[in-house]
Amino acid sequence: SAVISQKPSRDICQRGTSLTIQCQVDSQVTMMFWYRQQPGQSLTLIATANQGSEATYESGFVIDKFPISRPNLTFSTLTVSNMSPEDSSIYLCSVEWPDRLSYNEQFFGPGTRLTVL
Amino acid sequence: RKEVEQDPGPFNVPEGATVAFNCTYSNSASQSFFWYRQDCRKEPKLLMSVYSSGNEDGRFTAQLNRASQYISLLIRDSKLSDSATYLCVLMGDSWGKLQFGAGTQVVVTP
């Protein structure tokens, strides 16, 4: 499987500020995804980050709030903009491992634990 | 109705015993099915994909029942290290989009 790292691993931020989370993969992958896991809940897909095109956002998530970059096949960023305490969550990136296309297996980064005061 | 439903548990299991639990899904067009495990404050880790014919990986057995729209996970000879939350995950009709259940908590006790 791919080795995935995220920065920062955790942060505490003031409301109204923005935080950019980085996701780095040790291999080139076509599809990268950003998820959110709010306290006590399961994962919810925010958007699909595709290299060379704009991210595709899920219902309830918009580009102005969660801008995403995907400059190459090994890197992506997610920005949480104009944060409020409701944005306190774990943010995870995942990749679809290219050798397992037939089963669409995804592997997750370690997550970024965000607390907004 | 939720798209992916799981019994939240917890399932308290004596070490060495067998535990099994199901997950039901509502989208009959779902294409791929997985079990992930998530330890406290960690990211989900892929446990196994679920094949149409059912599959086994060591002490873990997964089954898929498309007619009744559920998948199951059975853990034999439970170890203390099996304590975790098990997430039922499926990919529907949108490529790459995974849908997660809320998880089933398993607690293996000595």
Side-chain angles (χ1 to χ4, degrees), chain A residues 34-38 41-47 58-59 61 90 92, chain B residues 98 100:
Chain A
W34 286 99
Y35 288 83
R36 180 173 75 181
Q37 187 172 27
Q38 294 180 300
Q41 298 189 27
S42 195
L43 282 77
T44 301
L45 180 64
I46 297 172
E58 297 300 308
S59 175
F61 299 97
I90 299 172
L92 301 111
Chain B
L98 295 182
F100 284 77

Side-chain angles (χ1 to χ4, degrees), chain A residues 40-88:
Chain A
Q41 298 189 27
S42 195
L43 282 77
T44 301
L45 180 64
I46 297 172
T48 303
N50 302 308
Q51 196 270 336
S53 63
E54 282 200 4
T56 305
Y57 289 83
E58 297 300 308
S59 175
F61 299 97
V62 295
I63 188 171
D64 289 345
K65 176 67 176 177
F66 297 102
I68 287 171
S69 78
R70 182 82 196 274
N72 57 53
L73 291 175
T74 64
F75 186 79
S76 178
T77 67
L78 169 76
T79 298
V80 187
S81 303
N82 188 25
M83 288 183 283
S84 67
E86 292 71 35
D87 294 321
S88 297

Side-chain angles (χ1 to χ4, degrees), chain A residues 37 42 58 103-106 109, chain B residues 32 34 36 38 49 96-97 101:
Chain A
Q37 187 172 27
S42 195
E58 297 300 308
Y103 292 107
N104 312 109
E105 292 170 353
Q106 289 186 20
Chain B
S32 304
F34 312 91
Y36 281 74
Q38 187 171 28
S49 301
K97 178 181 176 180

Side-chain angles (χ1 to χ4, degrees), chain A residues 6-10 19 21 89-92 110-114:
Chain A
Q6 284 185 236
K7 289 181 182 179
S9 58
R10 60 179 63 234
L19 176 72
I21 302 167
S89 187
I90 299 172
Y91 293 85
L92 301 111
T112 296
R113 186 175 297 272
L114 171 62

Side-chain angles (χ1 to χ4, degrees), chain A residues 10 31 33 35 37 40-45 48 58 90 92 94 96 100-111 113, chain B residues 6 31-34 36 38 40-46 48-51 87-88 91 95-103:
Chain A
R10 60 179 63 234
M31 299 185 78
F33 307 88
Y35 288 83
Q37 187 172 27
Q41 298 189 27
S42 195
L43 282 77
T44 301
L45 180 64
T48 303
E58 297 300 308
I90 299 172
L92 301 111
S94 76
E96 192 170 84
R100 305 288 193 115
L101 279 175
S102 60
Y103 292 107
N104 312 109
E105 292 170 353
Q106 289 186 20
F107 297 90
F108 287 83
R113 186 175 297 272
Chain B
Q6 293 185 251
Q31 301 174 25
S32 304
F33 305 85
F34 312 91
Y36 281 74
Q38 187 171 28
C40 188
R41 304 176 76 84
K42 298 284 189 181
E43 75 275 19
K45 293 188 177 174
L46 179 66
M48 59 197 303
S49 301
V50 185
Y51 306 158
L87 303 173
C88 172
M91 193 186 76
W95 185 263
K97 178 181 176 180
L98 295 182
Q99 293 173 303
F100 284 77

